[in-house]
Every structure is written in structure tokens, then in C-alpha cells.
Amino acid sequence: TQSVEYLTSLPFDGYAIGGSLGKNSEELINLLEWMMPMFDEGHRKNRPRHLLGIADEESIVNAVPHGIDTFDSCYPTRLARHGTLLTRNGSIHIKSGEKYSKAYGEPIDSECTCSTCQHYDRAYLWHLYKAKEPLFMQLASIHNIHYMNDMMAQQRKDILDGKI
């Protein structure tokens, strides 16, 4: 409480929260439930709140209703570098199955409008991954970042529509 009082008394444009909060997602949410009401008082209410280094899907969906405005993380690109692609139907672990080698004409995510999904299929991405081509990491990162941007756009829409 003293830390929030002191830091919010300084002339910052917004507030960065975190690094690592709690041992797991549940503890993170418990800490946000306790802490975020302090940011709804007085001049603090109209300043952005940024959660540092935490931006996995579950944390975002759980943190936005508590008043977190922005996030940053290596999460989508780290997953991409290690062969995981984010989709609206769950993650695809391209490295874990040859089934993707025969997925001709099938994009990573049929609803995605990113350049990777518009121009490359799962079979080609599986080939790039298996061949250890650096292009895989670039295309997968483009897709995962686009996916996360779409997810945040939906969060903003839900806030404006009064769902959050």
C-alpha cells in the first residue's frame, strides 16, 4: 500500500505493475484483485496501467477486467521460436506431429488475416520447422503477434460493449 501511495504521488503518465507477480496465474489474479482498487482512486483512475512481462492469453483475459490496460511480453515470439502457433482453437505444436506435414492448403488459423496465414499452409510451416529454416521463426512470430493483437482488439471491443 505504501509503495502504491508513493509511486502514484510522482508525476508519471501511467503505472507499470509487476515483473513477476505471484507463483502462478491464480496468485497473479489474487494480487491484482487486492491491488487494482487502489488505482481507481483520484488522479490514478485516468492513467494507464501496464502489466510488465506478462502477456499469455489466460493472464490477459483475467487481468483486463481488473483494470490492466496494456501488456508486454516475449510470449508470442518465444512460443513461435519453439514451434508453437496460437489459434482461436488452441495452440498448435507444429514440432510434435507429422500430421501437419500433410495439411496442404490448411492455414494455421482459418479466421486469421495475417500474412502468414494468407500465404502459407501448415504443411509448408512444418517443413520449414523440420528443416530448421529461420524463416519458420519469422513466419510463426508474425502469426502469433497478429493473433495476440486480434485478441487485444476483442478485449477492447468487449470493454466498449460493456461485457467487461
Side-chain angles (χ1 to χ4, degrees):
T1 309
Q2 289 177 337
S3 177
V4 170
E5 292 296 327
Y6 174 71
L7 290 173
T8 58
S9 73
L10 300 173
F12 294 130
D13 295 329
Y15 309 109
I17 299 163
S20 178
L21 292 176
K23 296 178 200 162
N24 54 43
S25 188
E26 185 178 332
E27 281 190 18
L28 167 68
I29 298 310
N30 289 339
L31 283 165
L32 291 176
E33 285 173 354
W34 170 78
M35 181 177 25
M36 293 312 293
M38 290 184 262
F39 287 92
D40 285 335
E41 300 170 5
H43 70 281
R44 303 173 193 159
K45 186 174 182 84
N46 297 321
R47 295 200 177 148
R49 301 111 187 230
H50 179 81
L51 192 56
L52 293 164
I54 299 171
D56 61 279
E57 297 155 290
E58 180 183 0
S59 295
I60 289 173
V61 168
N62 289 318
V64 167
H66 293 292
I68 299 296
D69 299 305
T70 59
F71 302 83
D72 74 274
S73 175
C74 63
Y75 174 77
T77 54
R78 183 180 59 233
L79 286 179
R81 288 190 309 272
H82 294 283
T84 299
L85 303 161
L86 301 170
T87 78
R88 287 155 184 82
N89 297 315
S91 297
I92 292 175
H93 306 286
I94 202 108
K95 63 184 176 181
S96 68
E98 270 194 48
K99 63 184 174 186
Y100 300 116
S101 69
K102 309 249 187 297
Y104 299 109
E106 188 176 347
I108 298 166
D109 185 333
S110 61
E111 295 177 43
C112 184
T113 59
C114 79
S115 59
T116 300
C117 286
Q118 298 304 304
H119 296 98
Y120 305 100
D121 61 19
R122 291 180 183 192
Y124 182 63
L125 293 170
W126 181 85
H127 158 74
L128 291 175
Y129 182 82
K130 284 303 198 182
K132 297 182 177 23
E133 286 286 344
L135 179 59
F136 170 80
M137 291 182 273
Q138 182 178 0
L139 294 174
S141 292
I142 288 168
H143 167 75
N144 281 358
I145 291 169
H146 188 91
Y147 170 84
M148 295 301 288
N149 284 335
D150 283 353
M151 187 178 131
M152 287 307 298
Q154 185 61 51
Q155 292 291 303
R156 285 189 298 276
K157 182 180 181 315
D158 288 350
I159 289 168
L160 293 172
D161 291 346
K163 295 178 184 175
I164 295 179

